[in-house]
Amino acid sequence: MSAFFAAFTWAAHLLPAAAVIVLFTLLVRLALLPLSVASARGQRARARLAPQVAALRKRHARDPERLQRAVLELHAREKVSPLAGCLPGLLQLPVFFLLYQLFSAGELGHYALFAAPLGGRWGDALAHGGLLGDAGLVYLALFALVTAVATCTYRMTKRQMGAVEAGGDVPGMGALVKVMPLLSFATLVTVAVVPLAAALYVVTSTAWTAAERAVLYRSST
């Protein structure tokens, strides 16, 4: 953490602190791009296996446990992981918590995005200036951006998850197929409750994800 603190402080002398966070986020997502590409391939592979899964579903209609085993065996034989798409998101969690902890501690609290301190939260902006205060307007702009990105992500994810008929026969995947499209709107809650620095990371990463899905998954929908 001390190394990141030193690197951030150095970079913040060259660029605005908010721009450093955005650039850092883009570098993290660029590093995870190979995993995202592999996830997109897995999505297309699962769609390709859908007819075989449909046949298994018909064959084992009266034995749900046997059906699940058969689907898992099919995925293993074809080297397709039903959960591969979750890996890029999970690997971002340490970075998110690093920013959360650094800016929650107050050591970097003097940095700001316009009138909103990077260590502050939406509640602080409401308490000092209200919804339409200088800091409040920064958050309103972020909420508008997140809502637009989340709506696009919701539509894309719903199409992509719906195309994978195998999902309902993998343990836990049935619920994931229903919940996954709605997760994009959870970003609104995150932005409202975490320090602004962590919120910037989330917003930038979410926008990257939407653009990434539009490119990588275009041939699988």
Side-chain angles (χ1 to χ4, degrees):
M1 183 180 295
S2 58
F4 179 83
F5 177 84
F8 181 88
T9 303
W10 173 82
H13 283 94
L14 304 176
L15 296 169
V20 174
I21 294 174
V22 171
L23 180 60
F24 174 67
T25 307
L26 295 177
L27 291 175
V28 170
R29 293 309 307 263
L30 188 61
L32 294 176
L33 186 57
L35 291 177
S36 298
V37 172
S39 175
R41 290 179 183 149
Q43 179 81 19
R44 289 190 288 270
R46 289 191 294 274
R48 175 175 52 82
L49 294 179
Q52 298 181 54
V53 172
L56 290 173
R57 187 185 297 119
K58 184 176 181 179
R59 184 185 309 165
H60 303 294
R62 297 184 179 180
D63 190 346
E65 292 185 3
R66 181 68 187 93
L67 173 59
Q68 288 184 354
R69 288 198 302 269
V71 171
L72 290 174
E73 290 169 2
L74 174 63
H75 284 167
R77 187 166 60 252
E78 297 292 334
K79 299 181 180 179
V80 174
S81 172
L83 299 176
C86 301
L87 192 56
L90 292 176
L91 291 179
Q92 290 184 72
L93 289 178
V95 181
F96 170 80
F97 285 117
L98 176 62
L99 285 171
Y100 182 94
Q101 185 171 352
L102 278 176
F103 283 88
S104 293
E107 297 181 17
L108 300 174
H110 59 285
Y111 294 108
L113 173 62
F114 300 111
L118 291 178
R121 294 170 168 80
W122 187 40
D124 301 324
L126 293 177
H128 301 88
L131 185 64
L132 299 179
D134 292 340
L137 290 175
V138 173
Y139 279 92
L140 287 181
L142 286 179
F143 289 143
L145 177 60
V146 169
T147 300
V149 172
T151 301
C152 293
T153 302
Y154 171 81
R155 292 172 179 171
M156 286 188 292
T157 305
K158 195 171 180 63
R159 289 197 304 268
Q160 292 156 10
M161 298 298 286
V164 184
E165 298 179 9
D169 299 313
V170 179
M173 282 298 290
L176 186 61
V177 167
K178 296 178 181 178
V179 172
M180 196 72 157
L182 298 174
L183 293 180
S184 54
F185 291 99
T187 307
L188 287 167
V189 179
T190 303
V191 171
V193 299
V194 302
L196 181 56
L200 275 179
Y201 178 89
V202 171
V203 171
T204 305
S205 183
T206 301
W208 174 289
T209 298
E212 188 178 73
R213 282 183 172 274
V215 174
L216 296 181
Y217 290 80
R218 64 184 183 275
S219 60
S220 61
T221 57

